[in-house]
Amino acid sequence: MARWIMVVDDDTANLQVAGHILSKNNMRVTALKSGRALLDYVSSKGFPDLILLDIKMPEMDGFETLEKLRLYEKEHELTETPVIFLTADENTGTETKGFEMGVSDFIRKPFNPDVLLRRIDNVVSMKSEMINLKNEATRDKLTGFLNKGATTVELSKMCVEKKGCLMMIDLDSFKLVNDIYGHEMGDQVLIAFADIIRGTVPEGSKYGRIGGDEFVAFAKGLEDEALVADISKQLNEKLVKKAKELMGEDMKIPLGASVGAIMIPKYGNDYTSLLKLADKCLYVVKKNGKHGYSLYSSEAFSEEEMKSDNMTISELSEILGERSIQNVALQLELEAFSHVYRYATRYFLRHNINSCKVMFTLDKAETASDKDYKDACDDFGNVVRESLRKSDILTRIRTNQYYVFLTNIREEFTDKVVNQIIEKWKILDKPGIDIKYEKEFTRNEGGTILDRMKKSVIIVDDDELNLQLVEKTLVNDGMNVTKFKSGADFIKFMSSTESLPDLCILDIEMPEMDGFETLKKLRELGGDIGRTAAIFLTADQSDGSEVKGLSMGAMDFVRKPIIPEILLLRVNHILELVTLRKRYQKSKV
């Protein structure tokens, strides 16, 4: 399918040149002459794969246009469209401002056809990969529903912003499907039931799978108990009908769905608290015949608990046996946490078990509003809880601080746990906070170490001043930097190291082995080594070097003389994608 590129420039000649280059390379092109025309167009006809946006335009320049575009996307809950700025301005302040606003790249005018095409291909491919990585991180692979972590984040937002009904839905007797017909049939039933939920709850709702056969849905706009009853009835009828289609009319399993529901905002808007109340309602259904629903009412629920007979151990075991234990950490208030922490510490010391304590501190981002900051602090806690194991515990000691106790963990895995939390947060792409943390590992012999997460970057340049400037810039931003003065030394290191860098920065003009040859030899090493991300440094102002480097798979170019702010922006821009790639590769193993 042809890529759709939108070009926005008040200069007709530029529109014609860009349109000719792109159309000739089988791209669909829409040409517009102002920022206002762009905003009007996308609001009525949809968004392209990429926007080429001129900075200097009358009435509304590129910066203002981008700001309004992002606001529109946010208000309508749309994925951000990648934007490349077109500019003839050599001012570094322009580039800094653009990257801070979230622009994907810059292309200098007048256009070089090869550079234009290569940079468009890089940005569109990168955006596509980012979307795929986010889907991998937020979607349940079997049903396509939100996974546990994403469910908490998205439904927390829905509970705050919308009216409706939070419904916890659990399949009855599902274990028998796996036992009698096998897990493959069980998967087919789960997929079918997910489709049934989609087709039964109101349009605009959101759904998640939070356990093996446990689902949760926010039914948007639903405020009538009669509708809850109708949804419960339809879920059960459709499920039985579909199950018999899959397993045969002689299927005798008492398959069904139990629903615990609570109205929002009648009983508040905190997702975690509401889910607990919906879960209580679900237990009521399970205890009283299953295949139905219970709608939370503070008065009725208290009466139900008071008048109900005490449960037997077999009744409770039957209910618990059907339910999936959520694979999340235990979050406690500080006082309760302190009791568990002291007990666990004594137990670990007696039995020589390792542990690790992590303190996350969330600073307000410079561009964030107070609301964004508060929301981000709340959401980060959900990400931490969903990322940890059931054996880990955490507490929130201040609005912006979370204290995590990792139990029975080896030292080499502590960084992995922390990195996963931070990577999951980055994938959510939420503004508001800058994350800092400190970590204390307790060995079974009582020793401790402190460490900080750092990204690893290698710089290869025969110029000592350049090496020092790049090192200082990146180290000040919290990165680990290794320096080499020749491509040969770099390749020798990469051939033998067990710790690969996240990124390498290669100068092009070096004696004996230039940057192009160095990158070529790196790729020839193959495997993870050969896939190491690379950026080129060059003082060459011609387009030939850029075209050649991009065609070899370099992810970006940084021009000399080096401007520290620009270098840092471009390095962090690439590292974000590298982090997502690594996470995706790990999830495939």
Side-chain angles (χ1 to χ4, degrees):
M1 185 176 178
R3 288 173 174 171
W4 180 17
I5 311 297
M6 196 170 286
V7 187
V8 185
D9 197 317
D10 63 313
D11 189 319
T12 302
N14 285 334
L15 290 177
Q16 291 175 342
V17 171
H20 175 74
I21 295 170
L22 301 179
S23 298
K24 187 177 178 182
N25 284 272
N26 301 316
M27 298 184 195
R28 174 188 170 192
V29 181
T30 299
L32 301 170
K33 298 195 71 173
S34 70
R36 173 52 55 194
L38 167 66
L39 298 174
D40 291 342
Y41 190 98
V42 297
S43 64
S44 61
K45 298 185 180 180
F47 287 76
D49 297 303
L50 180 140
I51 298 171
L52 297 175
L53 180 60
D54 186 33
I55 294 180
K56 292 186 177 180
M57 297 185 293
E59 298 181 16
M60 185 188 299
D61 66 14
F63 293 116
E64 185 180 356
T65 302
L66 179 59
E67 184 178 13
K68 291 182 181 296
L69 178 71
R70 294 296 184 236
L71 181 61
Y72 180 88
E73 290 169 332
K74 183 177 181 180
E75 289 174 347
H76 292 79
E77 299 182 352
L78 301 171
T79 302
E80 290 186 356
T81 306
V83 173
I84 295 179
F85 271 153
L86 303 176
T87 181
D89 190 353
E90 296 293 338
N91 187 342
T92 57
T94 299
E95 191 165 347
T96 301
K97 183 178 179 181
F99 276 122
E100 289 174 347
M101 291 184 66
V103 72
S104 297
D105 206 346
F106 280 78
I107 293 179
R108 305 292 174 186
K109 293 193 277 188
F111 306 124
N112 175 285
D114 289 331
V115 171
L116 177 67
L117 293 171
R118 289 288 181 185
R119 288 201 172 269
I120 287 175
D121 182 66
N122 275 2
V123 170
V124 174
S125 298
M126 188 180 297
K127 182 65 177 182
S128 177
E129 184 174 7
M130 294 279 271
I131 291 173
N132 290 335
L133 294 177
K134 287 183 179 181
N135 285 337
E136 284 283 336
T138 61
R139 292 287 167 183
D140 173 59
K141 293 180 180 179
L142 183 67
T143 63
F145 277 13
L146 295 169
N147 62 22
K148 290 185 294 185
T151 296
T152 300
V153 173
E154 292 298 323
L155 268 64
S156 293
K157 184 191 300 182
M158 291 282 282
C159 288
V160 170
E161 299 175 353
K162 309 292 183 183
K163 291 183 178 181
C165 181
L166 185 66
M167 309 175 75
M168 194 166 180
I169 307 167
D170 186 80
L171 288 178
D172 303 321
S173 305
F174 175 73
K175 185 175 182 295
L176 293 174
V177 177
N178 286 330
D179 291 345
I180 298 172
Y181 293 91
H183 288 276
E184 185 175 344
M185 177 59 71
D187 287 348
Q188 291 184 49
V189 171
L190 291 173
I191 293 169
F193 188 61
D195 289 337
I196 289 170
I197 293 175
R198 287 190 189 94
T200 305
V201 299
E203 185 178 352
S205 302
K206 287 192 176 180
Y207 345 87
R209 183 186 179 200
I210 60 175
D213 58 352
E214 286 183 299
F215 301 85
V216 63
F218 185 97
K220 181 181 176 183
L222 194 155
E223 300 180 79
D224 186 344
E225 181 174 355
L227 295 176
V228 177
D230 183 58
I231 287 175
S232 175
K233 180 181 178 182
Q234 288 191 56
L235 290 176
N236 277 281
E237 290 176 350
K238 292 176 181 178
L239 175 60
V240 172
K241 180 180 178 181
K242 187 63 180 180
K244 288 187 175 182
E245 289 178 12
L246 292 171
M247 291 176 276
E249 289 294 327
D250 59 345
M251 189 274 298
K252 301 300 182 183
I253 296 174
L255 198 59
S258 294
V259 179
I262 185 168
M263 294 298 184
I264 300 166
K266 183 176 181 180
Y267 293 103
N269 57 15
D270 177 68
Y271 170 75
T272 303
S273 301
L274 293 165
L275 191 66
K276 290 177 181 177
L277 296 177
D279 195 30
K280 285 186 176 182
C281 293
L282 189 59
Y283 273 106
V284 171
V285 181
K286 292 283 189 181
K287 185 184 174 184
N288 294 283
K290 307 179 183 178
H291 302 7
Y293 80 96
S294 173
L295 181 64
Y296 182 81
S297 162
S298 54
E299 301 83 5
F301 199 83
S302 297
E303 292 175 5
E304 173 70 24
E305 287 185 321
M306 290 296 292
K307 71 182 182 182
S308 62
D309 295 331
N310 291 331
M311 297 182 68
T312 66
I313 191 169
S314 60
E315 288 173 335
L316 182 58
S317 297
E318 181 183 355
I319 291 172
L320 294 176
E322 287 190 1
R323 309 292 305 288
S324 299
I325 300 173
Q326 294 190 32
N327 189 27
V328 296
L330 176 64
Q331 182 169 352
L332 301 171
E333 295 301 319
L334 185 58
E335 183 176 356
F337 177 90
S338 65
H339 293 298
V340 175
Y341 172 80
R342 286 195 290 268
Y343 170 79
T345 300
R346 291 195 300 270
Y347 182 87
F348 293 162
L349 287 173
R350 175 173 292 184
H351 295 279
N352 293 326
I353 297 173
N354 295 341
S355 63
C356 184
K357 292 164 278 187
V358 185
M359 176 77 80
F360 289 100
T361 301
L362 313 175
D363 294 334
K364 182 179 177 182
E366 291 183 6
T367 58
S369 66
D370 290 340
K371 184 178 185 304
D372 283 343
Y373 178 51
K374 181 180 181 301
D375 290 347
C377 288
D378 293 340
D379 292 341
F380 184 77
N382 293 329
V383 171
V384 173
R385 189 172 68 90
E386 297 289 349
S387 300
L388 300 177
R389 304 163 300 174
K390 289 178 286 187
S391 59
D392 299 323
I393 59 174
L394 72 147
T395 187
R396 188 172 186 174
I397 61 173
R398 289 193 178 95
T399 301
N400 69 325
Q401 284 192 306
Y402 290 88
Y403 186 76
V404 175
F405 191 38
L406 304 175
T407 64
N408 194 19
I409 189 169
R410 288 161 55 187
E411 181 180 341
E412 57 264 35
F413 291 126
T414 57
D415 277 334
K416 180 179 180 181
V417 172
V418 175
N419 288 346
Q420 284 178 341
I421 292 170
I422 294 174
E423 288 170 5
K424 283 186 178 181
W425 178 256
K426 287 182 178 180
I427 290 170
L428 295 179
D429 197 23
K430 286 178 172 288
I433 59 172
D434 294 322
I435 303 169
K436 296 179 181 177
Y437 78 89
E438 58 180 344
K439 174 168 66 75
E440 183 178 294
F441 181 80
T442 304
R443 303 178 190 275
N444 55 13
E445 69 268 21
T448 63
I449 59 170
L450 290 175
D451 193 17
R452 290 174 62 85
M453 182 200 73
K454 293 176 183 256
K455 291 298 181 186
S456 174
V457 180
I458 290 180
I459 169 68
V460 186
D461 196 319
D462 62 313
D463 188 313
E464 181 62 32
L465 290 178
N466 283 336
L467 287 174
Q468 292 178 6
L469 177 58
V470 174
E471 180 183 33
K472 181 179 179 181
T473 301
L474 301 185
V475 167
N476 286 344
D477 197 56
M479 301 181 201
N480 280 323
V481 176
T482 303
K483 300 179 294 182
F484 293 99
K485 283 194 169 185
S486 74
D489 288 343
F490 166 66
I491 295 299
K492 182 179 179 181
F493 171 83
M494 292 295 287
S495 301
S496 59
T497 183
E498 294 181 0
S499 179
L500 297 177
D502 297 293
L503 176 69
C504 60
I505 303 175
L506 307 175
D507 183 35
I508 291 181
E509 295 184 4
M510 296 186 291
E512 298 180 13
M513 185 188 297
D514 66 14
F516 296 130
E517 181 66 18
T518 301
L519 182 58
K520 180 181 177 183
K521 289 187 177 295
L522 177 67
R523 298 294 186 239
E524 289 173 352
L525 293 176
D528 291 337
I529 301 174
R531 288 190 291 269
T532 304
I535 292 177
F536 276 131
L537 291 178
T538 181
D540 185 353
Q541 297 300 315
S542 70
D543 296 322
S545 294
E546 188 168 352
V547 172
K548 182 176 180 180
L550 292 172
S551 67
M552 293 179 67
M555 299 187 74
D556 206 348
F557 267 73
V558 176
R559 301 287 182 182
K560 295 181 182 179
I562 296 169
I563 308 297
E565 295 82 2
I566 299 299
L567 173 69
L568 195 56
L569 285 165
R570 289 191 175 273
V571 166
N572 280 322
H573 187 65
I574 299 302
L575 284 175
E576 181 180 359
L577 177 62
V578 170
T579 299
L580 291 172
R581 279 178 173 166
K582 286 187 175 181
R583 186 189 187 287
Y584 174 69
Q585 289 164 357
K586 288 177 183 177
S587 70
K588 300 284 280 186
V589 175

